[in-house]
Amino acid sequence: MASGNDAQFAALQRAQRLRSVLGVHSPEGFCLVDGSPIVWQRFRAPIDSGAATESVVCLHDAGSGSREFYPLISRIPVGSQLLMLDWPGHGHSADPVEPAFSLEHCSSLLNGVLHQLEIRQPILLGSGFGAAVAIRYAAGHPAGVMGLVLCQPAGLVSSSLISSSPRSSSPTRKSNCTAASKINGPARRQALRLEVVESALRSLCEEANLSLRQSETGLRSALQTLRSPVLFALSRESRAYPLQKYLDLLDPLLKSAPQHRFTVFTGGFNPIWDEPERFAQALTGFIQAQLPLSRHRHAWLLSAVDWPTRTMNLWKCVHPECPAEQVLSEGQNPNDATQ
């Protein structure tokens, strides 16, 4: 009969195998920060000769892993690279050394990773808990980021917490899984992956939720003071991240800070999985709008429909200082490289 220690070790190994399915491919390297090895993987898009490479650092939700950004690997914005990391106890990263899995600790870990990899002024792309970490980091390092892309940021409204209970009683991811199953196969499979590993990550989700509840007022205040432009990516049908509550929160913010904007995506699971092409286009446009005019690439935004004549549309470059525009036939999208 196996001893208690043997059973505990076997359970730990099983949990590590389960959560590894949420990491992206094989780890490329790791950074040792505060005793915690943070596994990372870098993905690059083909870039033109002499072009600078902009870094997009992807921060996943608690209870998930870097695979959360998998749909973007084949849609990396031109001239950019994606750095995906796994938080402690998630994906391929080892269990946390720090006793509490919190916003403050993860912000410190992020700072260490960026320092060791010599990444300066990245775009932070955060989802759920990872988006809350991005807000906390940007508030503490106002000159350290170029901009934030916050996909369903947790901790800003009271209902935006991570599921840490069995799916049968969970009001969050269970409802998201149901919505995802009605949209597309990849989103449904990702939801099922999260469901499989939930028991292995439950304690970390509970710690993350405690940190989010304690930080809600501070996160809202930090959001008000951010100087870096922010793109909010919200799901129209999400129960875990109710759209109307976020719009009520963002309405006064957007009036006082015109550099921020939001985009609403169809679906109820996660915009990255529900509408990956549209999300990638929004990410591309946001990145290019932050670059100096001399370094930007054209990213197009639909400006007028049926202009100058019916069935013709006017597109303008998203960069605020770029005057470029073009007229295309209805159905054509200049952001689609396949057209």
Side-chain angles (χ1 to χ4, degrees):
M1 180 179 295
S3 68
N5 288 339
D6 290 340
Q8 187 177 15
F9 180 71
L12 178 61
Q13 283 189 314
R14 179 175 179 273
Q16 291 175 332
R17 287 195 299 270
L18 281 174
R19 74 189 189 209
S20 69
V21 305
L22 293 176
V24 177
H25 300 306
S26 299
E28 182 176 336
F30 72 91
C31 295
L32 188 63
V33 186
D34 298 335
S36 296
I38 307 300
V39 168
W40 56 269
Q41 178 78 324
R42 197 189 319 257
F43 298 90
R44 293 182 174 89
I47 58 176
D48 296 339
S49 177
T53 299
E54 309 304 328
S55 294
V56 180
V57 180
C58 303
L59 311 174
H60 66 77
D61 197 2
S64 179
S66 53
R67 190 183 177 90
E68 191 164 1
F69 303 99
Y70 182 84
L72 300 179
I73 294 176
S74 61
R75 302 173 175 92
I76 300 174
V78 174
S80 299
Q81 62 179 4
L82 302 181
L83 180 76
M84 302 183 186
L85 55 85
D86 288 323
W87 295 126
H90 294 74
H92 295 289
S93 289
D95 290 329
V97 176
E98 186 79 9
F101 184 70
S102 65
L103 292 177
E104 291 77 8
H105 182 51
C106 288
S107 178
S108 176
L109 294 176
L110 173 60
N111 186 53
V113 170
L114 296 180
H115 177 73
Q116 291 186 33
L117 297 182
E118 299 183 340
I119 297 176
R120 297 176 178 83
Q121 286 200 311
I123 297 283
L124 297 183
L125 167 55
S127 177
F129 177 82
V133 174
I135 295 172
R136 177 59 55 86
Y137 179 84
H141 304 81
V145 297
M146 183 183 297
L148 306 180
V149 179
L150 306 179
C151 183
Q152 302 188 151
L156 294 178
V157 300
S158 57
S159 57
S160 59
L161 297 177
I162 300 100
S163 171
S164 58
S165 55
R167 288 294 185 265
S168 59
S169 60
S170 168
T172 54
R173 277 194 182 145
K174 181 187 176 185
S175 58
N176 278 355
C177 292
T178 302
S181 66
K182 299 177 182 178
I183 299 172
N184 62 58
R188 181 169 62 252
R189 288 190 291 274
Q190 175 66 1
L192 292 175
R193 292 185 191 98
L194 296 175
E195 191 170 331
V196 168
V197 304
E198 183 172 33
S199 61
L201 295 171
R202 183 175 302 160
S203 63
L204 290 176
C205 287
E206 290 172 349
E207 292 176 8
N209 280 335
L210 176 61
S211 179
L212 289 169
R213 283 192 292 266
Q214 294 173 340
S215 303
E216 182 174 328
T217 301
L219 283 175
R220 289 191 178 200
S221 298
L223 196 60
Q224 298 290 334
T225 63
L226 289 182
R227 296 184 298 181
S228 302
V230 179
L231 170 63
F232 297 88
L234 307 172
S235 291
R236 187 177 303 279
E237 302 164 27
S238 174
R239 295 185 189 178
Y241 301 92
L243 178 61
Q244 189 56 55
K245 287 189 176 182
Y246 278 87
L247 295 182
D248 292 342
L249 172 68
L250 294 180
D251 186 54
L253 174 66
L254 297 178
K255 289 180 179 178
S256 61
Q259 74 272 26
H260 304 331
R261 57 191 180 91
F262 73 91
T263 300
V264 178
F265 295 83
T266 300
F269 177 57
N270 185 307
I272 300 171
W273 288 83
D274 291 331
E275 291 194 275
E277 290 290 350
R278 187 163 166 249
F279 186 91
Q281 289 181 6
L283 176 61
T284 299
F286 181 78
I287 294 172
Q288 296 305 318
Q290 312 317 315
L291 298 178
L293 186 61
S294 59
R295 286 171 48 200
H296 92 294
R297 315 288 185 86
H298 292 318
W300 303 98
L301 184 67
L302 183 61
S303 178
V305 177
D306 290 337
W307 189 95
T309 61
R310 285 185 60 81
T311 74
M312 302 297 289
N313 296 331
L314 175 66
W315 296 80
K316 293 186 177 182
C317 180
V318 298
H319 197 288
E321 300 176 26
C322 180
E325 60 184 37
Q326 57 179 312
V327 176
L328 296 175
S329 300
E330 181 181 4
Q332 288 187 300
N333 186 334
N335 295 301
D336 187 352
T338 63
Q339 292 190 359

